[in-house]
Amino acid sequence: MSVVEQTFGFFTPTVALMGVGCAKEIGPQAKSLGASHAFLCTDAGMVRLGLAAKVTHMLEAAGIKVTVFAGAEPNPTDRNVHDGVAIYQAHGCDAIVTLGGGSAHDCGKGIGMVIGNGGHIRDYEGLDKTTKPMPPFLAVNTTAGTAAEMTRFCIITNTDTHVKMALVDWRCTPDIAINDPLLMVDMPASLTAATGMDALTHAIEAYVSTIATPITDACALKAITLIAEWLRPAVACGTNVQARDKMAYAEYLAGMAFNSASLGYVHAMAHQLGGFYNLPHGVCNAVLLPEVCAFNLIACPQRYVDIAQALGENTSGLSTIAAAEKSIDAIRRLARDVGIPKNLTALGVLEKDLETMAVNARKDACQATNPRTATQEQVVDIFKAALVA
C-alpha cells in the first residue's frame, strides 16, 4: 500500500486563561512575559467603556508602565499599524497587550510583526513571511467571535487597494490569551450576534476544510454545538454570564479549529466586503455563510450532515443530501433569530462591484482550503445569491 506523506500543524498560544474572573491575571501574566513597559493596543470603544483604564490599572499594579494606543479602527489598516509602531518605538515599549476584539488584536499583531522584523506591514502578506519573533504579546479578549486573541491570522486593510490582506504567520500567535466573560457583558446585542456568527463560520469552514484533521474536527463540532445552544441567550440578555462564558469557549474552540485547518470562501469573500465597504466582518460572514455552504455541499455532503446534527437538527430518515441541506436551514434560522441583516443589499453592497471583489476573493489565502474549487463566475454568482437572499 502506498502512503502519501503529508504534515499537519496545530497552533495555539502557550497559555490560555478562561473562565469568570480570569482577567485578574492580566498584570501577573504580563509580568511573567518580562514586560516592564507595555504597549496597550485597543480602540476608542474600550476607552469609552472604561476597560482600557481598568486594564492599565491592572498592569500598573504589577509594576508595569503603560502606553495606551487607541488607534485600532474597525477593519484595521496599514496606517493604524504604522501609527502604532511609531508610538511603540517613541515610548520605548517592550511588550504588547491588546484589548478588545479582532480589530485590536489584529492591529497589535501587525505592529508586533513590524517591530520584530522591520519594513512595511504589506511585506508580510501571505504565509509565514516573518523571520524574527515579535515582542512578548498578551491578548485580552472582549468579544466571543474572531478568536484573534489566539490565532496566527492577522487581517489588515491595504489603504491603497482597499483589499484586506491576510497575514498568516505562526510567529504572530499571542503568547497568552485571556477570555473572561465578565469583560464581554457590555457587548451590545448586535455585536454579540455578529461575533457569534463569525465564530460559527470559523467552525463550519474549518470542519469542511481540505486540511481538517481529527483534532480540528473535534474543536469545530463542539464549537458549533455550543453556539447553537448559547448564542441566542447571549444576544437576548448580555448580562447572562453563563451564556457569555459558553460563547467564550465556543469562539476559542472555533479558533483552535480554523487556526490549523484554515477557512474557505466565506472569509475570502467577506474580506472583500470589509475592504470595499468597511462593513462589519461578522455580519458579512453571517450573510455569506449559507450561500457558500449551498455551493460547497456537493463536495462533502456528509460533513454538512454532521454540521446539521451539531446545530440540533433531526436528520433521521433523510437522504444524505436532504440531511445536509438541513444545516443551511439551521444557519439561516439562527442568523434571523439573532437579528443579522437579511442580505448584502441591506448592507449597501452594489452589483457593479461584484466582479472586482470576486477576482480578489480568488486570490485570498483563505480560499485555498475551500472544499470546492470555484471559478470567477461561480464566486460572482454566490455574491449575487447573497444580494437577494
Side-chain angles (χ1 to χ4, degrees), residues 321-342:
I321 293 297
E325 289 173 343
K326 296 272 280 186
S327 67
I328 300 170
D329 295 338
I331 293 165
R332 292 189 194 280
R333 189 163 56 251
L334 178 58
R336 182 184 66 239
D337 289 351
V338 298
I340 296 295
K342 186 176 181 182

Side-chain angles (χ1 to χ4, degrees), residues 87-102:
I87 292 172
Y88 184 105
Q89 293 174 331
H91 287 81
C93 300
D94 58 13
I96 296 172
V97 177
T98 54
L99 171 68

Side-chain angles (χ1 to χ4, degrees), residues 69-116:
F69 172 69
E73 298 175 340
N75 299 311
T77 70
D78 46 15
R79 291 174 185 166
N80 298 156
V81 168
H82 286 276
D83 287 346
V85 168
I87 292 172
Y88 184 105
Q89 293 174 331
H91 287 81
C93 300
D94 58 13
I96 296 172
V97 177
T98 54
L99 171 68
S103 297
H105 303 316
D106 281 359
C107 190
K109 290 175 182 180
I111 292 165
M113 286 185 189
V114 176
I115 291 294

Side-chain angles (χ1 to χ4, degrees), residues 57-309:
H57 177 73
M58 291 177 176
L59 291 166
E60 290 175 341
I64 300 169
K65 187 176 179 180
V66 181
T67 293
V68 178
F69 172 69
E73 298 175 340
N75 299 311
T77 70
D78 46 15
R79 291 174 185 166
N80 298 156
V81 168
H82 286 276
D83 287 346
V85 168
I87 292 172
Y88 184 105
Q89 293 174 331
H91 287 81
C93 300
D94 58 13
I96 296 172
V97 177
T98 54
L99 171 68
S103 297
H105 303 316
D106 281 359
C107 190
K109 290 175 182 180
I111 292 165
M113 286 185 189
V114 176
I115 291 294
N117 293 266
H120 198 280
I121 189 59
R122 297 178 190 174
D123 299 336
Y124 306 110
E125 182 177 9
L127 180 64
D128 292 336
K129 293 294 182 68
T130 67
T131 58
K132 298 176 183 177
M134 297 188 355
F137 188 180
L138 184 152
V140 182
N141 198 32
T142 64
T143 68
T146 69
E149 83 283 0
M150 57 79 62
T151 67
R152 61 191 174 119
F153 284 72
C154 173
I155 308 299
I156 302 294
T157 299
N158 182 320
T159 51
D160 287 340
T161 63
H162 303 290
V163 172
K164 282 192 172 185
M165 303 179 293
L167 297 76
V168 185
D169 196 312
W170 65 269
R171 289 184 179 87
C172 82
T173 307
D175 299 297
I176 298 173
I178 292 181
N179 273 284
D180 187 337
L182 294 181
L183 297 181
M184 303 176 185
V185 295
D186 290 326
M187 253 199 308
S190 59
L191 182 59
T192 302
T195 54
M197 292 300 294
D198 189 19
L200 179 64
T201 305
H202 293 155
I204 289 174
E205 290 212 287
Y207 191 67
V208 301
S209 164
T210 57
I211 58 170
T213 69
I215 298 174
T216 61
D217 286 351
C219 295
L221 287 177
K222 184 61 176 179
I224 294 168
T225 300
L226 287 170
I227 293 165
E229 181 176 0
W230 293 104
L231 179 56
R232 290 179 179 90
V235 171
C237 180
T239 56
N240 183 334
V241 175
Q242 183 182 21
R244 292 293 192 190
D245 189 43
K246 297 296 186 181
M247 283 302 301
Y249 277 104
E251 73 92 34
Y252 194 92
L253 284 163
M256 290 173 69
F258 91 83
N259 199 30
S260 299
S262 195
L263 297 160
Y265 259 111
V266 180
H267 274 76
M269 296 168 70
H271 290 160
Q272 313 319 314
L273 295 168
F276 263 66
Y277 296 98
N278 201 31
L279 291 169
H281 176 66
V283 174
C284 295
N285 277 343
V287 175
L288 288 167
L289 180 59
E291 309 307 330
V292 174
C293 288
F295 173 78
N296 285 340
L297 191 142
I298 63 170
C300 48
Q302 183 56 53
R303 292 247 143 187
Y304 283 100
V305 175
D306 299 341
I307 291 167
Q309 292 169 347

